[in-house]
């Protein structure tokens, strides 16, 4: 079985994007893993030009993911 890797894109406090790569359990798609492991939060104070929701994984703000080299989601 071919391992499946997901790369999470994190936003740092300096506005840069950091990448972390994980091997995920076979039989689970990247989108399913993302939905199960990344939490969605609603912003209490909305700012102009900001999203209504944001995502976190282990306390870090996630801005997207890449599955096995596909286009970022």
């Amino acid at each position: 079985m071919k391992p499946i890797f997901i790369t999470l894109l994190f936003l740092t406090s300096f506005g840069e994007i950091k990448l972390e790569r994980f091997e995920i359990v076979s039989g689970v798609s990247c989108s399913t893993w993302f939905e199960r492991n990344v939490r969605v939060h609603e912003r209490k104070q909305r700012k102009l030009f900001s999203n209504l929701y944001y995502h976190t994984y282990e306390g870090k703000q996630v801005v997207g993911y890449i599955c096995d080299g596909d286009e970022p989601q």
Side-chain angles (χ1 to χ4, degrees), residues 1 10-12 15 25 31-32 35 41 43 48 60 66 69:
M1 295 180 91
F10 295 105
L11 186 62
T12 68
V25 179
S31 59
T32 301
E35 290 171 9
H41 307 274
R43 293 193 190 277
L48 190 61
K60 301 174 193 171
I66 303 169

Side-chain angles (χ1 to χ4, degrees), residues 11-55:
L11 186 62
T12 68
S13 57
F14 300 111
E16 298 173 344
I17 295 180
K18 179 182 173 189
L19 307 174
E20 283 191 32
R21 187 174 175 173
F22 306 92
E23 183 176 352
I24 61 176
V25 179
S26 60
V28 177
S29 69
C30 287
S31 59
T32 301
W33 185 93
F34 189 85
E35 290 171 9
R36 289 181 184 169
N37 294 285
V38 176
R39 296 194 57 203
V40 179
H41 307 274
E42 185 175 1
R43 293 193 190 277
K44 300 294 181 194
Q45 295 180 339
R46 297 185 182 121
K47 298 177 185 175
L48 190 61
F49 303 114
S50 69
N51 292 330
L52 181 60
Y53 299 95
Y54 65 99
H55 301 77

